[in-house]
Amino acid sequence: GAGVSQSPRYKVAKRGQDVALRCDPISGHVSLFWYQQALGQGPEFLTYFQNEAQLDKSGLPSDRFFAERPEGSVSTLKIQRTQQEDSAVYLCASRPREGSDTIYFGEGSWLTVV
Amino acid sequence: GENVEQHPSTLSVQEGDSAVIKCTYSDSASNYFPWYKQELGKRPQLIIDIRSNVGEKKDQRIAVTLNKTAKHFSLHITETQPEDSAVYFCAASTVTGGGNKLTFGTGTQLKVEL
């Protein structure tokens, strides 16, 4: 596709539900990032993949958050037993290759936990 | 880890005036500094970036300056237009074991008034 695609765009979950957020990076991009953006704040790093390998997950806030990219393209961010503080926009971004700096963001998945 | 501070948090200018947004970073190893523009409900879009081996870069009405010694970098927008109204984020890239990771500032809400 032309850009990073994320789905769903909007998700309302009841507290305690599990959610799964999908990211389709730009075709051929090696690196994939997940960021969390709370209202009125800058994006905060969650995790990073190079192809299928998750090389950095230092930003995941708890063990309720899990991300995977099994075939090195599409990635899924899963949040178990959602809580109100999980409400945020979850941004996916991709980068063509190691050694290039520019990353390209998707439109984000807006999660509201009620 | 890296810490990026950004100010002001809000900036209101008259159309045609200049706008300046300033950021500081803490990690002297950071070597890439992008600026993103984010309109409400949209993805962050890269507007300009600078690497640590360059002191200044300009692209039409937008310029960025970098002072590595002081760990400061700034965004300058000249001849502002109403369509420049948005939230602007600075970021600094730090090399981790798995690749470059962007740390964002908290954002500046720019309003260009007619």
Side-chain angles (χ1 to χ4, degrees), chain A residues 6-68:
Chain A
Q6 293 187 244
S7 61
R9 287 294 321 279
Y10 304 95
K11 175 70 179 178
V12 178
K14 291 185 178 179
R15 192 169 54 183
Q17 278 186 333
D18 298 348
V19 299
L21 308 177
R22 176 187 169 105
C23 173
D24 282 88
I26 295 172
S27 178
H29 278 201
V30 169
S31 303
L32 186 145
F33 302 82
W34 283 99
Y35 282 82
Q36 180 190 58
Q37 186 175 23
L39 190 64
Q41 299 295 316
E44 293 194 357
F45 172 82
L46 293 177
T47 188
Y48 161 72
F49 290 86
Q50 182 179 324
N51 296 307
E52 70 278 4
Q54 188 175 20
L55 299 184
D56 187 342
K57 54 182 181 179
S58 61
L60 296 176
S62 76
D63 59 7
R64 296 186 296 104
F65 287 71
F66 172 77
E68 61 182 5

Side-chain angles (χ1 to χ4, degrees), chain B residues 2 4-5 17 20 23 30 33-36 41 53 55 64 66 68-69 72 75 79 89-90 92 104 110-111 114:
Chain B
E2 175 65 277
V4 177
E5 295 190 354
D17 287 350
V20 180
C23 288
S30 289
F33 307 91
W35 286 87
Y36 285 85
N53 58 348
V64 58
L66 172 65
K68 284 178 59 180
T69 303
H72 288 174
L75 177 71
E79 301 171 22
F89 292 99
C90 62
F104 285 82
L110 174 64
K111 184 177 181 181
L114 297 172

Side-chain angles (χ1 to χ4, degrees), chain B residues 9 13 16 19-20 29 32 43 52 56-57 71 82 92-93 101 105 111:
Chain B
S9 57
V13 299
V20 180
Y32 171 66
R43 73 185 76 199
S52 58
E56 184 174 356
K57 182 176 177 181
K71 298 195 197 119
S93 180
K101 176 172 76 177
K111 184 177 181 181

Side-chain angles (χ1 to χ4, degrees), chain B residues 3-87:
Chain B
N3 182 48
V4 177
E5 295 190 354
Q6 180 173 349
H7 59 95
S9 57
T10 60
L11 179 59
S12 184
V13 299
Q14 294 293 314
E15 183 180 10
D17 287 350
S18 296
V20 180
I21 302 171
K22 298 182 179 181
C23 288
T24 61
Y25 62 98
S26 62
D27 189 346
S28 57
S30 289
N31 57 4
Y32 171 66
F33 307 91
W35 286 87
Y36 285 85
K37 175 183 180 182
Q38 189 175 31
E39 298 177 3
L40 189 62
K42 301 293 187 182
R43 73 185 76 199
Q45 291 198 311
L46 179 70
I47 56 171
I48 196 167
D49 56 14
I50 191 167
R51 289 167 178 79
S52 58
N53 58 348
V54 175
E56 184 174 356
K57 182 176 177 181
K58 189 173 181 180
D59 182 4
Q60 299 184 346
R61 297 186 296 109
I62 296 173
V64 58
T65 58
L66 172 65
N67 182 330
K68 284 178 59 180
T69 303
K71 298 195 197 119
H72 288 174
F73 57 115
S74 299
L75 177 71
H76 304 253
I77 306 174
T78 58
E79 301 171 22
T80 53
Q81 302 168 3
E83 51 265 37
D84 294 330
S85 296
V87 179

